[in-house]
Amino acid sequence: MFNNEAASISRATSISRASKQGSTVSRSQSLIKKNVAPQDLRPSDILIERFVAWKIIVKQLVAYFEGIADIENNIAKEYTKLGAVIQVPFRSGNQFLGEGGLQDIYYGIRDKSRAIADQHANLGRTIDSSIVQHLQKLRSEIKAHIKNVQNDTGKLATSVAKERELSTRYVGELSTSISVFKNTPMNVNSKSDPYVSNMAVMRQLQKQVHEENALQKSIIIMQQNSAHFEEGIVRAIQSAWQTYDEWQSRMSSSVQDSWHSLGTHMSSLAPDREWISFSARSDHLLDPETPLRNPETIHYPSKEDPSVIAVHTGHLERKKRFTRTYREAYYVLTPAGFLHEYNSSDPAHSGGHVPVFSLFLPACTLGPPSSSFAKSHKFHIEGRKDGTGTTKSGSFKLPMTGGQHAWSFRARSRDDMMEWWNDIRMLCARYLVASESMERGGPVEAAVRAAGYVSEEEDEDDEGSSVEEEQDDEDDLYQDAVVDEEDGPPSYSHPAKNSGIEAGQNGYAVRFRRVVLTHHP
């Protein structure tokens, strides 16, 4: 009987979860029918836990928008710094147009940069003043709602727990009274009468059910309030984001318009506008039609003096002392009596204006040219015993031993050789002319004439050999002397006594004595 009564009390004081499958009855209501300890009976804990989670979510969103506000404020500061980079008006004076040119565009860049900075700063302030503060207020409201849940349902839950504890004790006393009545009826008193105990149980159960009903109504009301409050939270978050979206779109549109305006202004400037204006007001720019200067047309003192005009120029081959081979170079014969050798005929060439070899002809003797029937077109220049000859870039004094110096030159043709020889002989101290032998025909005369001599063909074939060149005494009338590399300025020498040469005041010979050499077979 006691078990049945307890079951009926439990069914009367709670809502059965098995009455409807899939019912939307809150889990908090199911806690009411559980006979648990007072500290465990907190149906409001689920609501409190949910809104604590909402408070954390709103706090995160507050931190997010605070970060966006900081970003916008930093962007505004950087754009302000960028605007200070543009210094207008230009400090370069009248190099650029004051109006209608590049300077106006730079004014626009500076002003637009400041305007963009203001747009970002305004967005940052809007986020701080409108969105962040609104969310912080929402977070405070959530905290207040959590406190209300604790105050309203918490006290009722504690009262229900106490009433359930009393009900359990009264039910136990009823069981004891009934047991005493059945076992020792004579020991039952007025307080332990089962009827009286049952009345106390019924009264306590009514009180318990009343407290449970009050708790249930409070929880239902709090659930409804919480549902409406949560809708307000979501709407507040949506409103905050919508506000940010509107202001950010407005700011982005304004910034985009500023950049587009700058691009349009920049593209409207003609590329040659500044230069045309600059060239029009400048007095120091050259006219593009001004002809280029020609160094050949420059006139300077003594440009046409006879002493600076070459007597003869062209290419000759000179025999090298050690290799005994010929090397072609560019030569210049000057009125001063020098035969200069150059590396190149182009004065602009590296070292082309400085001679690498020079001979002072008034101190030299010119040998006879090759015969007309010779295949090699040669002539020789020999330094005088009492004179000087120059080599390289300095002068050369003959040694005290009186050795002679001879240089062999070869031309490309006989006509070229004779032109050089005739011009050189006019500047040398003396020159020698070989007599022409009578041309006699016949093999006998040719054999007699060539007896004891190397043939011209053999001489030409062995010209590159150092051994054959040392034996070629017929072509080289003078032996090569040792060249001294001592530097010094060229000097003039006076002719020896009884030489037959009369020297003028300038050191040049005024009369030449023709010396005829004859060859005997």
Side-chain angles (χ1 to χ4, degrees):
M1 180 180 180
F2 178 78
N3 294 333
N4 293 332
E5 291 178 354
S8 63
I9 293 173
S10 177
R11 284 193 297 267
T13 56
S14 63
I15 299 176
S16 176
R17 298 178 61 188
S19 60
K20 285 187 179 182
Q21 294 295 334
S23 174
T24 58
V25 178
S26 173
R27 181 168 175 260
S28 300
Q29 294 176 342
S30 66
L31 295 176
I32 301 174
K33 65 182 181 179
K34 292 182 179 179
N35 191 7
V36 294
Q39 63 269 16
D40 295 333
L41 185 60
R42 292 291 184 269
S44 60
D45 290 346
I46 295 177
L47 297 176
I48 295 173
E49 183 179 359
R50 179 169 181 82
F51 285 100
V52 167
W54 269 112
K55 185 179 68 173
I56 296 174
I57 292 174
V58 173
K59 183 180 179 180
Q60 293 176 356
L61 196 59
V62 168
Y64 180 82
F65 279 108
E66 286 178 345
I68 293 178
D70 292 338
I71 291 173
E72 296 297 333
N73 292 329
N74 291 332
I75 292 175
K77 292 178 181 178
E78 295 300 325
Y79 271 111
T80 302
K81 293 180 182 178
L82 283 178
V85 171
I86 305 299
Q87 299 291 331
V88 285
F90 294 151
R91 298 179 180 178
S92 51
N94 62 347
Q95 293 291 333
F96 299 91
L97 288 172
E99 294 181 358
L102 188 64
Q103 188 167 265
D104 287 347
I105 297 177
Y106 269 56
Y107 271 113
I109 294 175
R110 185 194 65 179
D111 296 339
K112 294 296 183 181
S113 298
R114 293 176 179 177
I116 293 172
D118 292 340
Q119 293 290 337
H120 285 280
N122 291 334
L123 180 59
R125 287 192 295 267
T126 301
I127 294 173
D128 284 330
S129 61
S130 299
I131 300 175
V132 173
Q133 291 183 5
H134 178 69
L135 293 176
Q136 287 176 347
K137 182 179 179 181
L138 176 63
R139 184 167 176 266
S140 300
E141 292 177 354
I142 294 174
K143 292 173 64 177
H145 182 73
I146 293 173
K147 188 175 181 180
N148 292 333
V149 172
Q150 291 174 344
N151 291 334
D152 294 341
T153 61
K155 294 179 180 180
L156 292 175
T158 303
S159 178
V160 169
K162 290 180 180 180
E163 296 300 330
R164 286 184 176 182
E165 184 179 357
L166 289 175
S167 298
T168 302
R169 191 181 69 179
Y170 286 165
V171 171
E173 290 178 354
L174 176 61
S175 298
T176 303
S177 298
I178 293 173
S179 177
V180 171
F181 171 73
K182 289 181 178 181
N183 296 322
T184 56
M186 301 304 295
N187 293 331
V188 176
N189 53 27
S190 60
K191 292 184 178 180
S192 61
D193 185 357
Y195 177 79
V196 174
S197 297
N198 186 46
M199 294 299 293
V201 169
M202 293 180 62
R203 181 175 178 274
Q204 178 59 35
L205 289 177
Q206 290 178 358
K207 186 177 180 180
Q208 175 186 337
V209 169
H210 177 73
E211 293 294 333
E212 288 179 350
N213 290 335
L215 178 60
Q216 180 177 345
K217 292 178 181 179
S218 177
I219 291 175
I220 293 173
I221 293 173
M222 188 58 65
Q223 285 177 331
Q224 294 175 351
N225 293 338
S226 297
H228 291 295
F229 184 73
E230 185 169 314
E231 291 178 2
I233 294 175
V234 175
R235 289 193 181 95
I237 293 176
Q238 291 175 344
S239 176
W241 198 268
Q242 183 178 3
T243 302
Y244 170 72
D245 184 47
E246 291 177 358
W247 280 86
Q248 200 275 340
S249 299
R250 191 181 305 172
M251 184 273 296
S252 299
S253 178
S254 178
V255 171
Q256 188 65 28
D257 291 341
S258 299
W259 289 122
H260 182 71
S261 175
L262 284 177
T264 303
H265 196 185
M266 181 68 75
S267 61
S268 64
L269 179 64
D272 58 348
R273 179 177 177 79
E274 287 286 350
W275 177 258
I276 292 174
S277 176
F278 170 71
S279 59
R281 64 176 181 269
S282 178
D283 298 333
H284 302 284
L285 295 179
L286 295 178
D287 186 357
E289 303 298 331
T290 303
L292 298 177
R293 292 186 176 185
N294 187 357
E296 297 180 358
T297 62
I298 299 176
H299 296 280
Y300 53 89
S302 302
K303 178 181 179 180
E304 304 295 337
D305 191 87
S307 63
V308 302
I309 300 175
V311 176
H312 196 119
T313 60
H315 289 83
L316 287 174
E317 292 180 318
R318 179 170 64 90
K319 183 189 288 186
K320 304 296 291 185
R321 173 173 173 254
F322 295 105
T323 62
R324 311 293 293 176
T325 58
Y326 284 91
R327 184 179 70 87
E328 188 178 62
Y330 182 74
Y331 285 87
V332 176
L333 182 62
T334 66
F338 279 95
L339 180 63
H340 297 299
E341 176 186 328
Y342 291 89
N343 284 329
S344 174
S345 60
D346 185 8
H349 189 269
S350 178
H353 64 286
V354 179
V356 297
F357 175 84
S358 299
L359 279 178
F360 188 57
L361 298 179
C364 298
T365 299
L366 176 63
S370 299
S371 61
S372 60
F373 55 84
K375 291 185 177 180
S376 179
H377 313 290
K378 303 178 183 179
F379 63 90
H380 309 275
I381 300 178
E382 180 180 340
R384 294 176 53 191
K385 293 183 179 181
D386 56 351
T388 58
T390 63
T391 62
K392 303 299 180 183
S393 59
S395 64
F396 170 67
K397 280 283 188 180
L398 291 176
M400 297 303 295
T401 57
Q404 295 181 348
H405 295 258
W407 295 271
S408 299
F409 295 90
R410 186 171 65 183
R412 296 177 179 177
S413 63
R414 178 171 177 79
D415 294 338
D416 191 15
M417 178 194 68
M418 292 307 300
E419 290 180 3
W420 277 104
W421 191 87
N422 288 324
D423 290 335
I424 291 174
R425 72 184 177 86
M426 301 301 296
L427 297 172
C428 285
R430 59 179 181 173
Y431 62 92
L432 304 177
V433 179
S435 60
E436 294 289 344
S437 59
M438 183 178 297
E439 292 292 338
R440 297 178 180 179
V444 177
E445 290 80 5
V448 173
R449 185 170 60 248
Y453 294 93
V454 180
S455 66
E456 290 293 337
E457 289 79 7
E458 293 177 355
D459 180 38
E460 291 300 326
D461 294 339
D462 298 337
E463 198 172 61
S465 173
S466 60
V467 177
E468 294 298 333
E469 287 292 344
E470 292 177 356
Q471 296 176 357
D472 188 8
D473 294 336
E474 181 176 327
D475 289 342
D476 296 339
L477 300 179
Y478 308 98
Q479 295 181 356
D480 290 346
V482 179
V483 178
D484 189 359
E485 301 295 338
E486 180 182 359
D487 294 337
S491 59
Y492 294 89
S493 62
H494 298 284
K497 293 181 179 181
N498 300 324
S499 63
I501 300 174
E502 181 181 353
Q505 294 180 358
N506 56 1
Y508 286 82
V510 298
R511 181 169 58 86
F512 300 93
R513 183 177 64 183
R514 183 183 180 90
V515 180
V516 179
L517 300 180
T518 59
H519 296 278
H520 300 281

